[in-house]
Amino acid sequence: DGMRGDGRGLAEVRPVSCETGTLPAPHGAAFFSRGETAVVASCTLEAPPRRRVFGNDEEPAAAWREHAAWRRSEPRDARNRSVPPASPDDLEALSKAALECDRRLALHYEFPAAATGAGEARSRANRRAVGHGALAERAVAAVFPCRRQFPYLVRVRADVAASAGSSSMAAVAAASLALRDAGAPLLDAVAGVSVGAATFDDRKAFLVDLTGTEDHYGEMDCKVAGTRRGVTALQLDVKGEGVTLDDLDKALRAAKTARVGILETMAECPEADAARRGGG
């Protein structure tokens, strides 16, 4: 009948709410919730990193390439990471030594046990938390400003306060709002949503904004983050027999429609910088 266990339609997103300026100490902070899933993000600014690529000061995609180089490096080689050039022609303009620099954007994703009502103690992030943080950072790095526009080193911490599915995509939206609250001139706002699939009576249905139960029993989990114009990060978890190109096309189209709706809600979130800093 086209209805899900919580009463939503197949393409219906849970109620979205957001707020900026929620914490007094960080340079930027935001709260984002979608249904029972809620994330609090804080953003702090530091001095520009010492190692830099001078030819990338005006390169819009520099932060994304810094992130890509960081992801490819071995964990034990964290201090010796090289940033890939934007094109093969850049190899002639930039020396190999100049390509070594520190990334200006770091996003940490924290998922405490209390987010799901558990009481266990976690001393460090697990592989899931590291992967979700990397996915969220990749999504935001694509719209992060160049160094000449915003030279600071930025650290974003996304803490999951409650989780009922798709917490990584909620972290993307919360981080985008926190960066805006800190005054970072992002190229565009970023949000994300997950799309799953389930088969009923030999008919495949695509579910937008998965809950934890739908994610567990579903056939796939396609996390799509991006702006109104396009996708900045994507992760596909296949749990069934496989996903066809037609399935992926339908999932991406459904994700875009839901993402645009979330971005419209985020755009209506009022600025809170002046009130939080005592200016209003």
Side-chain angles (χ1 to χ4, degrees):
D1 58 356
M3 300 295 292
R4 294 153 72 173
D6 56 2
R8 287 184 292 150
L10 299 180
E12 185 178 350
V13 178
R14 288 170 289 181
V16 174
S17 65
C18 52
E19 181 182 357
T20 57
T22 53
L23 301 174
H27 298 105
F31 172 82
F32 178 89
S33 68
R34 188 183 58 247
E36 297 179 359
T37 299
V39 175
V40 179
S42 60
C43 175
T44 53
L45 311 181
E46 301 180 23
R50 294 182 179 180
R51 298 191 300 175
R52 61 187 290 190
V53 180
F54 291 93
N56 284 348
D57 283 358
E58 297 183 6
E59 171 59 45
W64 187 91
R65 292 193 285 117
E66 292 167 3
H67 165 83
W70 168 73
R71 287 296 298 164
R72 285 200 303 268
S73 303
E74 293 293 333
R76 295 182 180 180
D77 195 30
R79 295 186 178 181
N80 298 317
R81 291 166 173 164
S82 299
V83 180
S87 65
D89 296 337
D90 289 345
L91 287 174
E92 301 178 1
L94 301 175
S95 65
K96 182 177 180 180
L99 290 175
E100 295 184 355
C101 72
D102 297 319
R103 78 188 201 274
R104 293 177 297 121
L105 173 66
L107 192 151
H108 299 281
Y109 169 95
E110 300 292 340
F111 190 94
T116 56
E120 62 180 291
R122 295 176 182 172
S123 58
R124 59 182 180 180
N126 53 24
R127 293 178 60 187
R128 175 184 176 277
V130 173
H132 281 7
L135 177 64
E137 181 179 316
R138 176 179 289 266
V140 177
V143 298
F144 197 72
C146 66
R147 181 165 182 152
R148 189 171 298 279
Q149 288 181 309
F150 200 71
Y152 304 102
L153 188 151
V154 179
R155 187 176 302 276
V156 178
R157 179 185 173 105
D159 291 277
V160 181
S163 177
S166 303
S167 60
S168 62
M169 295 295 94
V172 172
S176 178
L177 290 169
L179 285 165
R180 188 189 76 176
D181 189 44
L186 299 180
L187 300 180
D188 204 349
V190 185
V193 69
S194 61
V195 179
T199 302
F200 304 96
D201 298 329
D202 297 331
R203 183 177 63 88
K204 179 170 289 189
F206 294 90
L207 313 177
V208 176
D209 184 19
L210 295 177
T211 63
T213 303
E214 293 169 341
D215 184 13
H216 181 76
Y217 291 102
E219 300 175 6
M220 78 171 189
D221 179 11
C222 184
K223 301 180 179 68
V224 187
T227 66
R228 289 181 175 85
R229 298 178 58 186
V231 175
T232 58
L234 185 146
Q235 177 179 308
L236 176 62
D237 299 331
V238 180
K239 307 172 185 179
E241 297 180 355
V243 176
T244 65
L245 290 178
D246 183 62
D247 292 341
L248 186 58
D249 177 71
K250 293 178 180 178
L252 291 175
R253 291 179 184 275
K256 180 180 180 180
T257 302
R259 184 174 72 248
V260 170
I262 296 173
L263 288 169
E264 291 177 353
T265 302
M266 292 170 58
E268 297 174 358
C269 183
E271 299 287 344
D273 289 0
R276 179 167 55 80
R277 296 190 176 97

